[in-house]
């Protein structure tokens, strides 16, 4: 503001002084060229003598004096012969144009010739008025700008506060234990929405890990109890009922078997939770799924035969997926073993692979299948169909398959093969 | 303790009670066992003396098992088997990449460890083109097998299995070892995979003969006998 004032003031003053100097030069030129009479004429002309057809310049004052103290021309009374730029109070009660007095003149005194004193001055009031108008306009604009800035600031601040509040509320709510709360998106696709969606993704991942942890803890707590109970019971009975050392050896062998069973459940649970935690994704490499299936098929051909099943393979060549070789092997093995265990002797099992990049892996049997309402449940840990209670397994095989499929970004579907079950796994291209 | 095999093992394991029990069982099986309870002393011992195999826990005070094995590998090629509770897939891969030769997750059957130590300590490093045991001969280049001079037709799965048995002739190999080394299966499947393949191999190998060189060792695994 002060800068603007300073610039305006300087510019206006400079203009006024330049005008004064132009007048002095014109009068001086007139004198040099044609003498004092011409100088007097120029002054009259400059001051707007109607004779010269000039409009009256109400703010222009001049006086030309000789060395006898006589006014030769001009619209001012005799002035003290002061030199240089100065301002002076106009000593007349009323100006030649009827303007109210006193007025302040800013001008320059000079000798255009020895003894010939010329003073040219201008009333500063028009300049002051201009300055005032500029300042007024400026102040108005400044007030407007500040008002708009404040309003915009308040609006943006409010908006920001609202968004921050939304994030804070969601976080507080999660801290308070409502793990499924998320930050609401405004749908504006701005940086806030992007941030919120990243935070939401992070929360989803954390929630999934927590759920995984919770699930494992509860599995360990509940489902390992069953075999541990059996083991304990066996040992107790051995203590009470064993008569010979052979009895003891038998009981100990059985107990070791039970322990191995428990360890195997434990290993499966850990494996599933490791897969579900998703860390293995970082180690993905290109896996030739066709070769992998071929290998598993070769391993299981005699196994299926010994269990009285017919295992066949129909494998497309060169199907490659980004994945984990070992987990994919276990996945295919689990699917085949699942079919072996849960179909009656003489059933046919087909391992099929269709497509090249991406594609579908399917294991189909012609056994009893799975009731439609339970296809989801069999993918859960420890879930076993009532019809399969007698067959081996802990209900973890398909849960691991589901976890491996999810890790690989695939989709698993359990379909009715009419008759039988088809487990098909679609891999992303 | 008797030490007929003359083989020396270094056991680096910080659980002293477990280590003591393990060492005494290994002694009973004919090994001389030295035990170190921390990584630093274990490393010193492994570098300053010659052992036939190192048995290394992964989580050790002082220097961890992985670093220890890496350091040993820079100077020596002593066979290493890890004995660890770290059961993740990546952990096994890390262990083998650090220079270990085998990886056994605790808890384990003693017979399993013993079989693996025997396999490690009798390992030959030269690449072989022929393997034989008694009357059985295998040509690894021509991929052919004969028994008492008669050609035996084997499918690739049977060939791989027999090759592994031949490399460990007269030694017990466990089901777990076969699953891992022959079929790359690193978990316990729910079916009798090994039994099925052994029975196929027996059928192919014994056709026309009345003796069975593949001995079933109850509760442990199988052993290929060098019989004429």
């Amino acid at each position: 503001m002060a800068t603007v004032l300073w610039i305006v003031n300087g510019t206006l003053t400079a203009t006024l002084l330049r005008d004064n100097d132009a007048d002095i030069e014109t009068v001086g030129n007139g004198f040099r060229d044609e003498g004092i009479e011409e100088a007097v004429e120029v002054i009259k002309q400059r001051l707007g003598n109607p004779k010269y057809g000039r409009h009256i310049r109400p703010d222009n004052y001049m006086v030309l004096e000789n060395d006898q103290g006589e006014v030769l021309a001009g619209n001012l009374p005799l002035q003290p012969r002061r030199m240089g730029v100065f301002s002076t109070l106009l000593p007349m009660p009323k100006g030649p144009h009827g303007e109210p007095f006193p007025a302040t003149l800013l001008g320059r005194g000079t000798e255009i010739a020895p003894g010939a004193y010329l003073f040219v001055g201008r009333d500063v009031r028009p300049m002051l008025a201009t300055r005032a108008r500029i300042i007024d306009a400026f102040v108005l604009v400044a007030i407007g700008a500040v008002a708009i800035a404040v309003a915009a600031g308040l609006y943006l601040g409010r908006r920001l506060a609202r968004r921050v509040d939304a994030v804070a509320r969601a976080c507080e709510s999660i801290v308070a234990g409502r793990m499924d709360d998320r930050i609401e998106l405004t749908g504006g696709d701005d940086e806030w929405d992007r941030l919120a969606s990243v935070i939401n993704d992070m929360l989803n991942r954390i929630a999934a890990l927590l759920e995984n942890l919770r699930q494992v803890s509860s599995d360990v707590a509940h489902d390992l109890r069953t075999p541990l109970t059996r083991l304990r019971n066996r040992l107790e009975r051995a203590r009470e009922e064993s008569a010979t050392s052979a009895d003891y050896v038998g009981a100990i062998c059985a107990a070791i078997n039970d322990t191995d069973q428990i360890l195997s459940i434990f290993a499966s649970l850990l494996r599933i939770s490791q897969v579900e935690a998703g860390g293995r994704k970082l180690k993905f490499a290109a896996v030739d799924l066709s070769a992998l299936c071929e290998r598993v098929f070769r391993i299981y051909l005699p196994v299926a035969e010994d269990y009285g099943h017919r295992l066949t393979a129909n494998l497309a060549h060169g199907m490659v997926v980004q994945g984990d070789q070992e987990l994919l092997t276990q996945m295919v093995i689990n699917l085949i073993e699942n079919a072996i265990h849960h179909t009656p002797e003489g059933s046919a099992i087909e391992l099929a692979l269709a497509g090249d990049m991406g594609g579908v892996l399917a294991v189909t049997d012609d056994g009893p299948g799975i009731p439609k309402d339970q296809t989801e449940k069999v993918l859960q840990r420890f879930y076993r169909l009532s019809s399969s209670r007698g067959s081996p397994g802990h209900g973890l095989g398909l849960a691991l398959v589901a976890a491996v499929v999810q890790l690989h970004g695939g989709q698993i579907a359990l379909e009715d093969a009419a008759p039988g079950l088809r487990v098909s796994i679609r891999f992303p291209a | 303790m008797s030490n007929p095999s003359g083989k020396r093992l270094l056991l680096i394991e910080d659980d002293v009670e477990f280590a003591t029990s393990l060492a005494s069982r290994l002694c009973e099986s004919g090994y001389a066992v030295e035990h170190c309870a921390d990584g630093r002393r274990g490393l010193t011992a492994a570098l300053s003396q010659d052992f036939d195999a190192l048995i290394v826990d992964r989580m050790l005070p002082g220097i961890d098992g992985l670093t220890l094995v890496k350091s040993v590998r820079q100077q020596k090629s002593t066979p290493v088997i890890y004995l660890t509770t770290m059961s993740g897939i990546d952990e096994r891969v890390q262990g083998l990449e650090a220079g270990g030769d085998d990886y056994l997750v605790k808890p384990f059957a003693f017979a399993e460890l013993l079989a693996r130590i025997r396999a490690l300590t009798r390992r030959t490093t030269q690449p072989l083109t022929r393997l034989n045991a008694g009357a059985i001969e295998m040509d690894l280049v021509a991929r052919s097998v004969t028994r008492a001079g008669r050609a035996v037709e084997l499918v690739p799965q049977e060939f791989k299995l027999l090759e592994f048995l031949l490399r460990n002739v007269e030694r017990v190999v466990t089901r777990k070892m076969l699953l891992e080394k022959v079929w790359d299966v690193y978990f316990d499947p729910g079916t009798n995979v090994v039994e099925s393949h052994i029975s196929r191999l027996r059928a192919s190998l014994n056709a026309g003969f009345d003796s069975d060189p593949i001995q079933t060792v109850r509760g442990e695994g199988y052993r290929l006998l060098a019989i004429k």
Side-chain angles (χ1 to χ4, degrees):
Chain A
M1 182 79 189
T3 315
V4 173
L5 195 61
W6 182 74
I7 291 170
V8 166
N9 209 15
T11 310
L12 289 173
T13 309
T15 309
L16 188 146
L17 289 175
R18 211 171 43 242
D19 288 349
N20 284 350
D21 289 348
D23 286 344
I24 290 170
E25 204 187 330
T26 315
V27 175
N29 286 346
F31 177 80
R32 247 193 329 283
D33 297 344
E34 294 170 50
I36 197 78
E37 286 79 17
E38 179 56 22
V40 168
E41 269 313 297
V42 171
I43 289 169
K44 280 181 179 160
Q45 192 182 350
R46 285 264 141 183
L47 290 178
N49 190 327
K51 187 178 151 192
Y52 296 96
R54 296 275 308 210
H55 69 275
I56 294 162
R57 304 273 307 270
D59 57 341
N60 205 355
Y61 295 89
M62 292 188 190
V63 63
L64 184 62
E65 302 166 11
N66 64 13
D67 52 356
Q68 273 87 50
E70 293 164 335
V71 172
L72 301 179
N75 55 0
L76 286 173
L78 190 71
Q79 292 295 309
R81 296 170 80 98
R82 196 170 152 196
M83 298 296 178
V85 176
F86 57 91
S87 61
T88 179
L89 217 56
L90 196 64
M92 295 153 78
K94 203 170 157 68
H97 316 297
E99 65 269 34
F101 275 68
T104 303
L105 299 185
L106 181 61
R108 182 195 287 275
T110 184
E111 277 196 332
I112 55 170
Y117 175 79
L118 175 68
F119 172 79
V120 175
R122 276 179 167 77
D123 190 346
V124 295
R125 283 176 304 182
M127 182 187 91
L128 294 178
T130 305
R131 195 178 75 185
R133 272 199 305 279
I134 290 175
I135 289 168
D136 283 356
F138 186 80
V139 165
L140 221 68
V141 168
I143 288 172
V146 167
I148 289 169
V150 166
L154 280 177
Y155 171 71
L156 289 175
R158 271 267 203 45
R159 228 166 81 108
L160 188 73
R162 264 207 311 277
R163 308 297 290 263
V164 172
D165 277 354
V167 176
R169 262 202 313 280
C171 294
E172 277 163 5
S173 153
I174 286 159
V175 168
R178 287 182 292 278
M179 267 316 289
D180 41 359
D181 253 31
R182 293 293 177 269
I183 303 162
E184 255 180 70
L185 302 187
T186 56
D189 197 33
D190 53 5
E191 60 270 37
W192 276 97
D193 262 15
R194 286 201 298 278
L195 178 66
S197 102
V198 168
I199 293 177
N200 282 346
D201 286 350
M202 180 184 76
L203 291 172
N204 288 339
R205 177 98 182 94
I206 292 171
L209 288 173
L210 277 178
E211 170 57 24
N212 183 22
L213 196 64
R214 195 196 60 73
Q215 180 82 49
V216 173
S217 321
S218 104
D219 288 347
V220 169
H222 295 104
D223 294 282
L224 282 177
R225 244 170 228 279
T226 315
L228 279 170
T229 306
R230 201 165 50 223
L231 171 62
R232 195 179 192 290
N233 183 49
R234 188 190 298 283
L235 290 171
E236 238 169 26
R237 275 184 50 201
R239 185 182 60 194
E240 283 152 19
E241 295 171 13
S242 296
T244 64
S245 69
D247 289 347
Y248 279 110
V249 169
I252 287 170
C253 286
I256 288 175
N257 274 341
D258 283 355
T259 315
D260 285 345
Q261 283 249 328
I262 293 166
L263 287 170
S264 148
I265 295 176
F266 204 66
S268 300
L269 276 177
L270 283 178
R271 177 65 61 102
I272 292 172
S273 91
Q274 195 191 4
V275 172
E276 284 181 349
R280 294 200 57 72
K281 227 173 189 160
L282 303 171
K283 301 244 163 92
F284 272 14
V287 175
D288 185 341
L289 203 55
S290 303
L292 187 151
C293 286
E294 178 70 26
R295 188 167 63 85
V296 173
F297 171 68
R298 293 284 160 214
I299 296 174
Y300 273 85
L301 197 55
V303 180
E305 205 178 291
D306 285 356
Y307 280 81
H309 294 71
R310 280 169 292 124
L311 177 65
T312 56
N314 181 11
L315 305 173
H317 285 285
M319 182 173 153
V320 175
V321 293
Q322 282 298 311
D324 184 293
Q325 172 97 20
E326 200 169 323
L327 290 178
L328 288 169
T329 303
Q330 188 163 3
M331 178 190 85
V332 180
I333 287 180
N334 280 11
L335 286 173
I336 293 177
E337 290 197 335
N338 200 58
I340 290 175
H341 286 316
H342 300 297
T343 54
E345 262 193 67
S347 300
I349 301 164
E350 188 203 42
L351 171 64
L353 199 56
D356 35 50
M357 295 302 283
V360 181
L361 182 152
V363 174
T364 311
D365 66 56
D366 58 358
I370 291 178
K372 252 202 160 50
D373 57 328
Q374 296 188 57
T375 52
E376 283 290 316
K377 288 184 187 158
V378 294
L379 297 176
Q380 293 168 4
R381 287 175 244 214
F382 295 108
Y383 189 85
R384 307 197 64 195
L385 293 176
S386 49
S387 58
S388 66
R389 294 273 178 236
S391 42
H394 311 297
L396 291 170
L398 282 179
L400 180 76
V401 168
V404 173
V405 170
Q406 202 201 9
L407 181 75
H408 286 79
Q411 279 174 330
I412 184 167
L414 274 65
E415 299 149 347
D416 187 358
L421 173 70
R422 174 184 295 118
V423 184
S424 62
I425 291 157
R426 184 174 292 280
F427 287 96
Chain B
M1 288 287 165
S2 64
N3 183 11
S5 70
K7 300 232 188 267
R8 299 183 67 226
L9 304 175
L10 176 61
L11 172 62
I12 310 171
E13 161 69 60
D14 61 333
D15 179 345
V16 176
E17 191 191 327
F18 166 70
T20 310
S21 143
L22 190 60
S24 84
R25 292 179 82 182
L26 286 168
C27 285
E28 282 160 27
S29 307
Y31 291 95
V33 182
E34 187 142 329
H35 169 232
C36 292
D38 75 83
R40 231 169 275 283
R41 253 180 286 170
L43 181 59
T44 313
L47 291 175
S48 59
Q49 304 172 46
D50 285 326
F51 290 98
D52 293 286
L54 309 180
I55 305 167
V56 182
D57 187 5
R58 273 196 62 174
M59 280 183 285
L60 287 168
I63 302 172
D64 72 279
L66 218 57
T67 314
L68 184 144
V69 171
K70 278 184 197 161
S71 309
V72 170
R73 271 291 164 273
Q74 286 174 357
Q75 300 181 33
K76 291 190 160 191
S77 59
T78 317
V80 171
I81 179 167
Y82 293 98
L83 216 51
T84 175
T85 54
M86 297 170 81
S87 61
I89 302 172
D90 298 330
E91 286 157 348
R92 188 190 69 241
V93 173
Q94 278 170 2
L96 298 182
E97 276 172 357
D101 300 272
D102 209 344
Y103 200 96
L104 192 54
V105 173
K106 292 178 193 170
F108 54 89
F110 179 72
E112 185 75 46
L113 176 66
L114 199 59
R116 284 169 191 251
I117 290 173
R118 285 187 172 140
L120 279 183
T121 53
R122 276 206 233 163
R123 203 173 50 157
T124 45
T125 43
Q126 308 97 319
L128 297 171
T129 55
R130 299 187 73 80
L131 297 167
N132 61 73
I136 302 168
E137 287 226 21
M138 173 178 275
D139 185 333
L140 288 169
V141 181
R143 302 197 71 74
S144 63
V145 176
T146 58
R147 180 170 177 189
R150 271 154 60 182
V152 178
E153 293 301 319
L154 295 178
V155 298
Q157 295 287 320
E158 295 164 2
F159 189 91
K160 269 170 81 177
L161 178 56
L162 180 61
E163 181 188 336
F164 188 78
L165 291 171
L166 280 167
R167 286 184 190 277
N168 292 283
V169 65
E170 295 289 346
R171 271 172 274 161
V172 175
V173 294
T174 64
R175 289 178 63 246
K176 220 169 137 79
M177 280 166 82
L178 290 169
L179 284 167
E180 291 180 9
K181 319 284 174 190
V182 179
W183 295 290
D184 273 336
V185 172
Y186 289 93
F187 63 97
D188 192 15
T191 50
N192 303 323
V193 172
V194 178
E195 289 76 357
S196 291
H197 284 273
I198 290 281
S199 81
R200 295 299 179 290
L201 177 61
R202 273 184 174 138
S204 304
L205 204 57
N206 298 342
F209 296 91
D210 16 295
S211 61
D212 180 8
I214 302 173
Q215 186 188 13
T216 303
V217 183
R218 235 184 96 80
E220 295 188 25
Y222 300 93
R223 175 162 39 206
L224 182 68
L225 302 170
I227 49 171
K228 287 289 167 190

